[in-house]
Amino acid sequence: MAQAAERAARITQATATIGDSEFDRDTAVVRREEGVYDAELSAGWTIIRAVNGGYLLAMLGRALGDALPHPDPFSVSAHYLTASVPGPAMIRTQTVRTGRTLSTGQASLFQYAEDGTETERIRVIATYGDLDTLSEEVRTSAKPPAIPPVEHCLGPGDGPAPIPGSSAIADRIDIKLDPATVGWAVGAPSGKGEMRGWFGLADGRDPDPLSLLLTVDALPPTAFELGLKGWTPTVELTTHVRCRPAPGPLRVSITTRNLAGGFLEEDADVWDSADRLVAQSRQLARAPRG
């Protein structure tokens, strides 16, 4: 009990110095010793039955940013082993390699049962660098998604009854979905496996490389537009951060081309207010069983 109280006090002290952003406070980690961090998974980032995977990725990304000599996530690959729940957690990090421009590390998040049994929830391997040192040259055929102006898009309050289960995360993010991708909300899914929308944090915090790890996993799953309902748990998620995002809202486009054997992929592109592709991701998820 004394150790738990001491750990809680350290986290409270650390979050008090972070500032006004709920995202920053709720992804705070406190170094206990080299390679070991204490954290508190907030109930405010749950959806349906579990803590959101993008929120978890951002928390592990924060720990790796502290542990590695380079500041910014370039490529982060996560395997979700068991569903995380609100409450205390511990993160262990390991530096795999350091170089002049890139460093690679791994991290795992653990939670404990009342009997002290340790359960690994998520394991990450990531490469970090410095986004401010990258060349400004861009050669791309990618184009920003065609999304109606934000005032013509739809938020959680514009739909019918909420999804059964927790939707606490909806109070912490500001999402406005393209009306062409919300047929599922009124019982008329398009069947196209597409989700598009505007994204920001509800408290107005501007995006940065760490929050992009949340952004790629924050929209409703494309499975809803395929006519499926229920939890769509992530099995593996890889995110590439391409450049530091400009202030302002982000545009997110997610597509699924193949649902087979009970699993589907989701490919996400994230664009900033300067029309730059700032993040890309692919995840493998289990299709809802309901």
Side-chain angles (χ1 to χ4, degrees):
M1 289 291 291
Q3 288 181 339
E6 180 183 351
R7 174 189 139 308
R10 290 200 308 269
I11 293 175
T12 299
Q13 182 178 8
T15 56
T17 64
I18 286 177
D20 295 332
S21 170
E22 191 167 18
F23 171 79
D24 290 322
R25 293 196 302 270
D26 288 349
T27 57
V29 297
V30 179
R31 183 189 289 197
R32 182 195 306 176
E33 58 189 67
E34 184 175 358
V36 181
Y37 297 82
D38 289 315
E40 184 77 17
L41 304 189
S42 169
W45 300 88
T46 52
I47 180 69
I48 302 184
R49 296 198 298 266
V51 179
N52 172 261
Y55 162 75
L56 294 171
L57 199 60
M59 179 177 281
L60 285 156
R62 191 178 292 280
L64 282 167
D66 181 81
L68 296 173
H70 294 93
D72 302 316
F74 276 27
S75 179
V76 183
S77 296
H79 286 265
Y80 294 82
L81 308 177
T82 54
S84 299
V85 296
M90 180 185 68
I91 298 171
R92 295 194 183 111
T93 66
Q94 179 184 355
T95 299
V96 177
R97 178 187 178 276
T98 61
R100 185 176 61 86
T101 59
L102 296 173
S103 56
T104 299
Q106 63 182 20
S108 292
L109 183 145
F110 300 85
Q111 290 190 296
Y112 298 91
E114 291 184 2
D115 62 0
T117 303
E118 181 180 278
T119 300
E120 186 176 5
R121 302 297 196 189
I122 174 176
R123 183 178 297 187
V124 164
I125 185 165
T127 295
Y128 274 56
D130 186 345
L131 290 169
D132 294 331
T133 65
L134 298 183
S135 166
E136 295 183 1
E137 180 183 15
V138 176
R139 303 184 188 185
T140 182
S141 60
K143 297 180 180 180
I147 302 175
V150 66
E151 61 268 20
H152 295 153
C153 292
L154 304 174
D158 298 316
I163 302 167
S166 173
S167 57
I169 190 174
D171 295 329
R172 281 146 193 88
I173 56 179
D174 183 11
I175 291 180
K176 296 290 186 179
L177 296 176
D178 184 339
T181 67
V182 296
W184 56 273
V186 293
S190 68
K192 294 181 179 180
E194 298 176 349
M195 200 67 64
R196 293 184 299 274
W198 297 88
F199 176 87
L201 290 168
D203 60 16
R205 179 195 189 275
D206 279 322
D208 68 359
L210 198 65
S211 71
L212 291 176
L213 302 180
L214 164 71
T215 304
V216 298
D217 193 45
L219 267 62
T222 55
F224 289 179
E225 269 298 87
L226 291 173
L228 303 175
K229 298 179 181 179
W231 189 34
T232 310
T234 303
V235 176
E236 188 271 346
L237 170 60
T238 294
T239 302
H240 298 157
V241 177
R242 307 305 303 269
C243 63
R244 194 177 305 281
L250 301 167
R251 283 162 292 174
V252 185
S253 173
I254 306 178
T255 59
T256 291
R257 295 187 302 163
N258 191 56
L259 189 160
F263 293 86
L264 55 90
E265 88 288 344
E266 287 193 341
D267 292 321
D269 289 343
V270 182
W271 297 78
D272 71 0
S273 59
D275 285 345
R276 298 177 305 165
L277 182 61
V278 294
Q280 299 167 284
S281 73
R282 165 166 282 198
Q283 69 171 278
L284 181 70
R286 187 184 294 275
R289 297 175 177 177

Short mmCIF file of all heavy atoms in Angstrom, two decimals, residues 4 29 55 64 76 112 129 132 135 143 145 176 178 256 276:
data_model
loop_
_atom_site.label_atom_id
_atom_site.label_comp_id
_atom_site.label_asym_id
_atom_site.label_seq_id
_atom_site.Cartn_x
_atom_site.Cartn_y
_atom_site.Cartn_z
N ALA A 4 2.26 1.88 -3.45
CA ALA A 4 1.24 2.38 -4.36
C ALA A 4 0.95 3.85 -4.10
O ALA A 4 0.79 4.64 -5.03
CB ALA A 4 -0.04 1.55 -4.22
N VAL A 29 4.32 10.06 -17.81
CA VAL A 29 5.03 8.93 -17.21
C VAL A 29 6.07 9.48 -16.24
O VAL A 29 6.57 10.59 -16.42
CB VAL A 29 5.72 8.05 -18.28
CG1 VAL A 29 4.68 7.42 -19.20
CG2 VAL A 29 6.73 8.85 -19.10
N TYR A 55 -4.15 6.07 -27.56
CA TYR A 55 -3.76 6.70 -26.30
C TYR A 55 -2.61 5.92 -25.65
O TYR A 55 -1.63 6.50 -25.18
CB TYR A 55 -4.98 6.76 -25.39
CG TYR A 55 -4.68 6.98 -23.92
CD1 TYR A 55 -4.30 8.23 -23.45
CD2 TYR A 55 -4.81 5.93 -23.01
CE1 TYR A 55 -4.03 8.43 -22.09
CE2 TYR A 55 -4.56 6.12 -21.66
CZ TYR A 55 -4.18 7.37 -21.21
OH TYR A 55 -3.91 7.57 -19.87
N LEU A 64 9.43 6.36 -24.36
CA LEU A 64 10.58 6.14 -25.25
C LEU A 64 11.27 7.45 -25.59
O LEU A 64 12.49 7.51 -25.73
CB LEU A 64 10.13 5.42 -26.52
CG LEU A 64 9.91 3.92 -26.37
CD1 LEU A 64 9.18 3.36 -27.58
CD2 LEU A 64 11.25 3.20 -26.17
N VAL A 76 6.78 3.62 -35.30
CA VAL A 76 6.39 2.96 -34.04
C VAL A 76 5.50 1.78 -34.38
O VAL A 76 4.44 1.96 -34.99
CB VAL A 76 5.65 3.93 -33.11
CG1 VAL A 76 5.33 3.25 -31.79
CG2 VAL A 76 6.47 5.20 -32.87
N TYR A 112 -1.12 -4.95 -13.19
CA TYR A 112 -1.05 -5.97 -12.16
C TYR A 112 -2.42 -6.29 -11.61
O TYR A 112 -3.25 -5.39 -11.41
CB TYR A 112 -0.13 -5.53 -11.02
CG TYR A 112 1.30 -5.30 -11.45
CD1 TYR A 112 1.71 -4.05 -11.87
CD2 TYR A 112 2.20 -6.35 -11.45
CE1 TYR A 112 3.02 -3.84 -12.28
CE2 TYR A 112 3.51 -6.15 -11.85
CZ TYR A 112 3.91 -4.90 -12.28
OH TYR A 112 5.21 -4.70 -12.69
N GLY A 129 14.05 9.96 -34.10
CA GLY A 129 15.01 10.87 -34.72
C GLY A 129 14.65 12.30 -34.37
O GLY A 129 13.96 12.55 -33.38
N ASP A 132 13.07 17.99 -37.08
CA ASP A 132 13.50 19.31 -37.52
C ASP A 132 14.75 19.26 -38.39
O ASP A 132 15.11 20.27 -39.00
CB ASP A 132 13.76 20.21 -36.30
CG ASP A 132 12.48 20.52 -35.54
OD1 ASP A 132 11.41 20.53 -36.17
OD2 ASP A 132 12.56 20.72 -34.31
N SER A 135 15.10 16.80 -44.55
CA SER A 135 15.05 17.60 -45.77
C SER A 135 13.62 18.05 -46.05
O SER A 135 12.66 17.34 -45.75
CB SER A 135 15.57 16.76 -46.95
OG SER A 135 15.24 17.36 -48.19
N LYS A 143 -2.68 12.90 -52.10
CA LYS A 143 -3.45 14.14 -52.05
C LYS A 143 -4.32 14.14 -50.79
O LYS A 143 -4.79 13.10 -50.36
CB LYS A 143 -4.33 14.27 -53.29
CG LYS A 143 -3.56 14.38 -54.59
CD LYS A 143 -4.51 14.52 -55.77
CE LYS A 143 -3.74 14.63 -57.08
NZ LYS A 143 -4.64 14.76 -58.26
N PRO A 145 -7.46 14.24 -48.38
CA PRO A 145 -8.80 13.71 -48.63
C PRO A 145 -9.80 14.83 -48.87
O PRO A 145 -9.69 15.92 -48.29
CB PRO A 145 -9.13 12.94 -47.35
CG PRO A 145 -8.29 13.61 -46.30
CD PRO A 145 -7.03 14.02 -46.98
N LYS A 176 -15.18 15.55 -36.33
CA LYS A 176 -16.31 15.85 -37.21
C LYS A 176 -16.16 14.99 -38.45
O LYS A 176 -15.21 15.15 -39.22
CB LYS A 176 -16.33 17.33 -37.59
CG LYS A 176 -16.56 18.28 -36.42
CD LYS A 176 -17.99 18.16 -35.89
CE LYS A 176 -18.25 19.21 -34.81
NZ LYS A 176 -19.64 19.14 -34.29
N ASP A 178 -17.04 13.14 -42.10
CA ASP A 178 -17.62 13.35 -43.42
C ASP A 178 -18.98 12.64 -43.46
O ASP A 178 -19.06 11.44 -43.17
CB ASP A 178 -16.68 12.75 -44.47
CG ASP A 178 -17.14 12.98 -45.90
OD1 ASP A 178 -18.33 13.25 -46.12
OD2 ASP A 178 -16.28 12.87 -46.80
N THR A 256 -10.34 0.49 -45.51
CA THR A 256 -10.17 -0.96 -45.41
C THR A 256 -10.51 -1.57 -46.77
O THR A 256 -11.59 -1.31 -47.31
CB THR A 256 -11.08 -1.57 -44.34
OG1 THR A 256 -10.63 -1.14 -43.05
CG2 THR A 256 -11.04 -3.09 -44.38
N ARG A 276 0.02 19.00 -45.63
CA ARG A 276 1.15 18.07 -45.65
C ARG A 276 0.72 16.74 -45.04
O ARG A 276 -0.01 16.70 -44.05
CB ARG A 276 2.33 18.64 -44.87
CG ARG A 276 2.90 19.94 -45.42
CD ARG A 276 4.01 20.45 -44.54
NE ARG A 276 3.58 20.59 -43.16
CZ ARG A 276 4.39 20.74 -42.13
NH1 ARG A 276 5.70 20.75 -42.31
NH2 ARG A 276 3.90 20.88 -40.91
#
